[in-house]
Amino acid sequence: MRTFIVTCLHILALSALPLAGAAETERKPVLQVKGAVADAPISFSMAQIQDMPATTLTTSTVVTDGVHQFTGVLLRDFLAELEAVGDTLTATALNDYIVDIPLSDLERFDVIMAYSMDEKALERADKGPLWIVYPRDAHKELQDIRYDYLWVWQLSELEVK
Ligand SMILES: Nc1nc2c(c(=O)[nH]1)N[C@H]1C(S)=C(S)[C@@H](COP(=O)(O)O)O[C@H]1N2
Ligand SMILES: [Mo]
């Protein structure tokens, strides 16, 4: 009987592992927000970001073939929620890529911080876990190198200035 119970507990523990692993990943901090926002610095987990109202955007990109459907949060709404004030959003990536995005871009265009492409989570090895996506196909002026380099992939930090 004792062996039986121990075996059962073992099976339970083993079967719970993959789930616990996934949930833990969702709760790990993935994004730091600094600068001119209320309560800075704030860190967000993927679970927190995915709990926010989602926006879907369909566009081509310069680094993928064809048109893709991206899901994420509207950067304009995300920053408004954090009471951001300033002119510039400095975005930093895991590979230390760093670029300034004018906050006016976010007012003029529905730019999103995407966490999935074609309903699949963006992987770290492929532009994830967060990718700044502009509505490129909807606006002729966004089809330009000056905007392409603002599509920060592997986004890890935002600073409002
Ligand atoms: N994290 C990260 N995002 C980035 C870059 C980068 O090096 N790292 N390069 C930028 C530039 S210069 C361009 S043109 C586009 C496409 O870059 P890629 O062709 O190197 O993917 O992504 C932008 N986002
Ligand atoms: Mo580029």
Side-chain angles (χ1 to χ4, degrees):
M1 187 58 185
R2 208 211 166 112
T3 321
F4 177 69
I5 290 170
V6 170
T7 306
C8 284
L9 287 174
H10 230 104
I11 290 168
L12 265 176
L14 283 177
S15 57
L17 265 181
L19 274 178
E24 211 170 285
T25 306
E26 302 285 280
R27 284 187 189 88
K28 261 195 347 203
V30 289
L31 180 74
Q32 283 276 346
V33 186
K34 311 195 304 188
V37 292
D39 308 317
I42 322 170
S43 81
F44 291 88
S45 65
M46 192 51 86
Q48 285 174 304
I49 295 169
Q50 291 182 345
D51 270 348
M52 297 175 196
T55 295
T56 289
L57 153 57
T58 301
T59 189
S60 60
T61 87
V62 283
V63 293
T64 56
D65 287 330
V67 165
H68 298 275
Q69 193 196 75
F70 294 92
T71 305
V73 294
L74 261 186
L75 267 176
R76 174 171 63 240
D77 290 355
F78 178 71
L79 293 176
E81 196 68 41
L82 302 182
E83 299 170 38
V85 280
D87 306 312
T88 306
L89 184 67
T90 304
T92 307
L94 293 171
N95 65 339
D96 294 329
Y97 181 77
I98 179 162
V99 79
D100 282 346
I101 295 172
L103 281 176
S104 57
D105 274 15
L106 311 185
E107 295 303 325
R108 293 169 59 214
F109 308 110
D110 294 338
V111 181
I112 69 170
M113 182 167 70
Y115 45 76
S116 73
M117 183 171 86
D118 302 326
E119 290 172 1
K120 283 204 297 282
L122 288 168
E123 301 292 339
R124 198 168 285 236
D126 190 21
K127 313 294 187 205
L130 293 168
W131 189 6
I132 293 179
V133 174
Y134 275 70
R136 189 176 207 276
D137 289 3
H139 304 272
K140 191 102 192 113
E141 66 179 296
L142 295 182
Q143 294 157 33
D144 188 283
I145 183 77
R146 282 173 300 164
Y147 286 99
D148 293 339
Y149 71 78
L150 304 180
W151 289 53
V152 179
W153 34 267
Q154 288 188 332
L155 177 71
S156 59
E157 188 185 288
L158 294 173
E159 181 172 7
V160 180
K161 292 174 187 160

